[in-house]
Amino acid sequence: MASSSLLWLCSSNPLISPATLLKAHPRFPIRHRFRCSLVEPLMFENGKPHFPLLTSDPAFPTFLSPNSHFQNDINKHDTRLRIFSGTANPALAQEIACYMGLELGKIKIKRFADGEIYVQLQESVRGCDVFLVQPTCPPANENLMELLIMIDACRRASAKNITAVIPYFGYARADRKTQGRESIAAKLVANLITEAGANRVLACDLHSGQSMGYFDIPVDHVYGQPVILDYLASKTICSDDLVVVSPDVGGVARARAFAKKLSDAPLAIVDKRRHGHNVAEVMNLIGDVKGKVAVMVDDMIDTAGTIAKGAALLHQEGAREVYACSTHAVFSPPAIERLSSGLFQEVIITNTIPVSEQNYFPQLTVLSVANLLGETIWRVHDDCSVSSTFQ
């Protein structure tokens, strides 16, 4: 039997020497005991040898034929991109997946009786480019811990790259020391995400640009401004009547960039003095808003104290209408009462943070950043530029 197989191999491939087969190590099967002599010198390109792919040619033994079932499985799941959602904003994650033409990955997340979080991936991510969509919005500590455990689960499942997609980055306001003996929590959170195993962070409208420097991994920072600008462009507001207002001095750069893209509208600044956390007092207004449509721009609305007092000042100075535009709607009490009190013609936000049904009011408009984040994910996955398009 062995001799017939040997003769068959030698007849089907004249390059195989029978003596070579018989002199090979006896503990290996015959099919592994052959060596081909060189017909022509090897030509290496760029210093790397070329290995031709084996085909299902009848001249080769059947054990060299590709496994058709294995090939079908590979072709069926040829994409190496996976998107998983935490429990903080599953609606946004689903919109992102729909835009990209993908399905959300299967993941099991539950809380034990004592409050501990359990995460298990329900599908393989070995060698995949994984994106985890999880804003660290209220409850911030719960959602942050869930993100860290998700990252750890992907790392232990041998994911090739793990990108934390954080539409809203909690603790971003604790980015510096304003008084003695304070912590810089933004840096601490950045360290936690890095040490958990994330390879990259995709964030939207960070509270301050220096927060990107807190990470020791690449950070792709996109802005929600294009989404809000497209919406404002669809409204019938004369560009000569517009004025962009920064609710505080710290947001002047953001408001200036917004005004430049909004037909280079003039800029006004509200000067405020803060006496404590979440407590603001408006002092005066820098700029002219009389008879104009004022568009107040900020990165987030928390208790709405700053933006509500600013709107009241704008009305006192003669503004015809006041619009509030913000990327992140934290909406801590009593934000809804302040925003729905009649000071604003419209409050325009995005869905980086989910808005509960009881927090809706007539003046509220919620825009989706799913297309923005979905396109950014594609570009990151394909190693394309992000900043040249979205910043």
Side-chain angles (χ1 to χ4, degrees):
M1 183 66 181
S3 60
S4 62
S5 300
L6 175 63
L7 292 175
W8 181 86
L9 281 171
C10 296
S11 62
S12 61
N13 195 335
L15 299 180
I16 302 176
S17 170
T20 302
L21 285 172
L22 295 175
K23 292 179 180 179
H25 200 284
R27 65 176 176 170
F28 294 107
I30 289 180
R31 66 180 183 221
H32 295 309
R33 288 192 266 141
F34 65 90
R35 183 174 57 190
C36 297
S37 58
L38 294 178
V39 178
E40 58 183 13
L42 293 176
M43 301 298 293
F44 292 168
E45 184 177 357
N46 295 330
K48 292 184 178 181
H50 174 67
F51 298 98
L53 295 177
L54 297 175
T55 61
S56 56
D57 190 89
F60 287 94
T62 56
F63 66 84
L64 293 178
S65 302
N67 190 325
S68 59
H69 297 290
F70 179 75
Q71 290 292 334
N72 291 336
D73 290 341
I74 293 297
N75 294 332
K76 183 178 180 180
H77 304 287
D78 57 350
T79 177
R80 310 303 292 173
L81 191 153
R82 299 285 189 274
I83 301 178
F84 293 92
S85 173
T87 60
N89 198 345
L92 175 59
Q94 184 63 61
E95 289 185 42
I96 293 173
C98 289
Y99 170 82
M100 301 178 67
L102 302 173
E103 293 183 0
L104 284 178
K106 296 180 176 63
I107 185 171
K108 181 179 181 180
I109 303 175
K110 69 177 183 179
R111 263 84 173 163
F112 291 108
D114 60 353
E116 293 181 1
I117 301 172
Y118 173 83
V119 173
Q120 182 190 29
L121 302 177
Q122 301 286 293
E123 60 185 72
S124 175
V125 295
R126 183 178 297 273
C128 292
D129 202 359
V130 177
F131 293 81
L132 305 175
V133 182
Q134 176 81 341
T136 54
C137 53
N141 298 333
E142 284 280 318
N143 291 328
L144 174 61
M145 194 64 197
E146 184 178 303
L147 173 63
L148 298 177
I149 298 177
M150 290 170 64
I151 294 173
D152 183 71
C154 292
R155 179 175 64 88
R156 297 179 186 279
S158 302
K160 183 179 181 180
N161 291 303
I162 304 171
T163 300
V165 181
I166 311 176
Y168 171 72
F169 181 64
Y171 289 101
R173 285 173 285 184
D175 57 356
R176 64 192 185 280
K177 293 180 68 172
T178 58
Q179 302 177 44
R181 300 176 297 279
E182 283 186 337
S183 69
I184 303 179
K187 171 59 176 171
L188 173 62
V189 173
N191 288 343
L192 289 172
I193 293 173
T194 303
E195 291 300 322
N199 303 109
R200 179 182 295 270
V201 168
L202 170 56
C204 182
D205 262 334
L206 291 171
H207 185 66
S208 56
Q210 69 260 27
S211 297
M212 288 186 286
Y214 295 157
F215 290 90
D216 296 326
I217 55 178
V219 177
D220 292 301
H221 187 206
V222 297
Y223 298 89
Q225 283 188 0
V227 178
I228 299 176
L229 286 169
D230 286 346
Y231 177 76
L232 288 175
S234 66
K235 303 182 73 66
T236 57
I237 302 176
C238 180
S239 59
D240 296 333
D241 295 337
L242 281 174
V243 58
V244 176
V245 182
S246 174
D248 54 29
V249 177
V252 171
R254 183 185 302 106
R256 186 186 294 118
F258 193 89
K260 186 177 181 179
K261 296 177 181 179
L262 199 62
S263 303
D264 203 11
L267 183 67
I269 305 169
V270 175
D271 177 35
K272 74 174 183 183
R273 305 295 169 90
R274 188 181 294 276
H275 297 289
H277 296 293
N278 296 329
V279 178
E281 181 180 352
V282 173
M283 301 300 293
N284 50 46
L285 178 70
I286 304 171
D288 182 26
V289 297
K290 189 174 182 179
K292 293 183 177 290
V293 176
V295 179
M296 302 187 72
V297 180
D298 208 349
D299 64 319
M300 71 175 69
I301 299 177
D302 190 356
T303 61
T306 298
I307 204 165
K309 291 185 178 181
L313 179 64
L314 293 176
H315 282 292
Q316 292 176 11
E317 296 294 329
R320 190 168 80 243
E321 293 177 349
V322 178
Y323 288 80
C325 300
S326 177
T327 303
H328 309 300
V330 181
F331 286 177
S332 303
I336 303 303
E337 290 78 3
R338 289 170 172 170
L339 295 174
S340 60
S341 61
L343 291 172
F344 300 97
Q345 179 74 16
E346 191 172 1
V347 177
I348 305 168
I349 61 171
T350 70
N351 62 343
T352 57
I353 299 175
V355 180
S356 58
E357 188 175 348
Q358 61 266 25
N359 286 340
Y360 277 89
F361 52 94
Q363 296 88 357
L364 183 65
T365 299
V366 182
L367 307 177
S368 178
V369 295
N371 293 6
L372 175 70
L373 294 176
E375 183 64 27
T376 305
I377 290 174
W378 272 127
R379 289 171 178 264
V380 171
H381 177 67
D382 294 335
D383 295 326
C384 297
S385 175
V386 173
S387 59
S388 61
T389 304
F390 301 116
Q391 296 187 17

